[in-house]
Amino acid sequence: MTTKKQDDNQAGITQEGRFYSAERLHAMHDMMLYIRRFEEKAGQMYGLKKIGGFCHLCNGQEAVCVGMEEATEPTDYMMTSYRDHGHILARGTDGVAVMAELLGREGGVVGGKGGSMHMFDKSKNFAGGNGIVGEQVPIGTGFAFASKYRDDKRVSITIMGDGGVNQGAVYESFNMAALWKLPVVFVIENNQYAMGTSLSRASAETHLYKRGISFKVPGIQVDGMDVLEVERKMTEALEHARSGQGPIIVEMMTYRYRGHSMSDPATYRTRDEVDEWRSGRDPIVRLQKQMVEAGLATESEFKQKDKDIKKEIVAVAKAAEAQPEPELSKLWDDILTDEIPNAYPYPRQVG
Amino acid sequence: MSKITYREALNQAMCQEMERDDRVFLMGEEVAEYNGAYKVSQGMLDKFGPRRVIDTPITELGFAGLGVGAAMAGLRPVIEFMTWNFAILAADQIVNAAAKMKYMTGGQYDCPMVFRGAGGAAARVSSQHSQAFENWYANIPGLKVVMPSNPADAKGLLAASIRDNDTVIFIENEINYGDIGEVPEGEYIIPLGKADIKRVGKDITLIAHSRMTGYALLAAEELAKQGIDAEVVDPRTIRPLDEATILASVAKTNRAVVIEEGWRFAGIGAEISARIMEKAFDDLDAPVARVTGKDVPMPYAANLENYALPSVAEIVEAARVVCNRA
Ligand SMILES: Cc1ncc(C[n+]2csc(CCOP(=O)(O)OP(=O)(O)O)c2C)c(N)n1
Ligand SMILES: [Mg+2]
């Protein structure tokens, strides 16, 4: 684990007894802002019909992506649902490859075969990118099983939504993970809605961190709009799992600013509610304020930074768009098919 | 008659049946307050209230099973899956419970209910959200499988499915939801198990269901330009299959192509062409051809997706081969 020790002369912020250097704070800030601008660009490209299908943005949830990543080791496993752009970017995957995937291009993270919902990067131990709600939860438990089996101290960070948490397999996973003391941190991104269904309309127990009680899986609730709190609590949770104490649930209280996907006008929420989170609790603004107050940065520096990042994102989109679509022969790669000779008008050339 | 969309037609069928039978209720994800993920249940919560139009948590296995129990207890559930991709989670309740309840209980219990939702490929939604599963369910004794290809059929077949005393797998098509067509007003029922001849022709029979019926009709137009007069048969109900209509058409044309969006191996086309071979062998002037989706998961990239799906051009090509005109 990267231990960040306090150096008396070093500039930074101490929160709840934990020190964050200016350099580290800037890195967290920049990544959150990068994700925000990346998602905005993705939204734009969707509007221009350059991205198709379902596209779920994570605007508002950046502190969860970045704070978690700050706490993990690169060797830890991570997997999530279809709302995956922010997580894979925070893990360090190249923005061009992510954007190219969104555009269905050859250089996409999975060669253009997956699109928005299926981001995978094995080199970063990022295992998706799963389109079926709850699907990644038993899978994440399996990664933890492999870790325990090999005793290599890797933790599986298995992320789900407040809607996904209602799938039966989630509880089967909680039980197995607790029974066998598997090193898994079950992260619940509680953004208050599953599509148009608010938490209280879908869950009898709305304190989701308590969902593990009958399986003896402890749970904690975290302000997911505060990147430092996310980092801190996630570090504790990872320690719990890594030290052999078994699984733990981390409920991240957060909010998605946009609709569920690009086709959702999100009329089920009031303007006031969205504003309350957006202007009152925004994770990027919050960190900026903290840093300005601590004398680590100025507002004009942040303005410049934003300009730079926006420029970078424009370049990312350009580079991705310049790529060709995958070659047609790729249709038949990476899949077991027992070829049926002459099955199609022109076998294996298709059409 | 009025011109309405496929989704409105489905809505009319459900409203019609809920008005005449209090045992019928609609349950699924986002069906009530959101008016349906694809707006099929628009206005139904207002009309029937939360007792009968019920939003669920995301818990397919649970609410499918709840539907089975409610049906066994005498209600007539309509269980909506947002798409059939998600129904895989509920397959145990559909296959192990609903399909065999009557048989396993010596006729004491039955499951008169409808599982419905969007099936097949939508646009650019990739491998886990673009799949045709009608052959899975059609393989199970005890299940009826119904797939409308136009708004009028959507209304008449869904109403019939809700009245049916067996468990019906009703597979809609997301891309067809916005299609507009003439639909009879008022009560409208199309008996299950009856195919429909969507175009009369004499040279070749194109057999296609759901979205592929539209493709077959387009292919027939193209073939007409080339001097081939195609007949298009839409089974509408995959199981029980209206073999008689298919065989009668083949007896007339002596040639057939079966088209489906799903994968080729053990698909619907395999069943239909086997039946033609078994029962109309002497009528055939050429082997039956199949046009299917390619045997790969659906890729996201626009060009790959395009190639993975069956196309009108492939249907035309297959028909020309079968007619010895390639
Ligand atoms: C098994 C399954 N059922 C339904 C869906 C359709 N669906 C996609 S996302 C979603 C809502 C999930 O909400 P939540 O878990 O809170 O995650 P969020 O979108 O808020 O990140 C639903 C119902 C699906 N993809 N998979
Ligand atoms: Mg949610």
Side-chain angles (χ1 to χ4, degrees), chain A residues 304-321:
Chain A
Q304 186 55 46
K305 176 59 79 181
D306 195 17
K307 274 189 197 148
D308 295 345
I309 287 177
K310 278 182 179 155
K311 235 190 236 163
E312 194 183 339
I313 296 289
V314 168
V316 161
K318 236 191 189 155
E321 253 193 296

Side-chain angles (χ1 to χ4, degrees), chain A residues 161-163 189 191-194:
Chain A
D162 53 286
E189 283 181 309
N191 61 9
Q192 328 290 327
Y193 290 88

Side-chain angles (χ1 to χ4, degrees), chain A residues 34 38 88-89 92-102 313 316-317 320:
Chain A
Y34 183 92
F38 184 97
I88 197 168
L89 289 170
T93 298
D94 177 29
V96 176
V98 177
M99 187 60 84
E101 191 56 46
L102 290 173
I313 296 289
V316 161

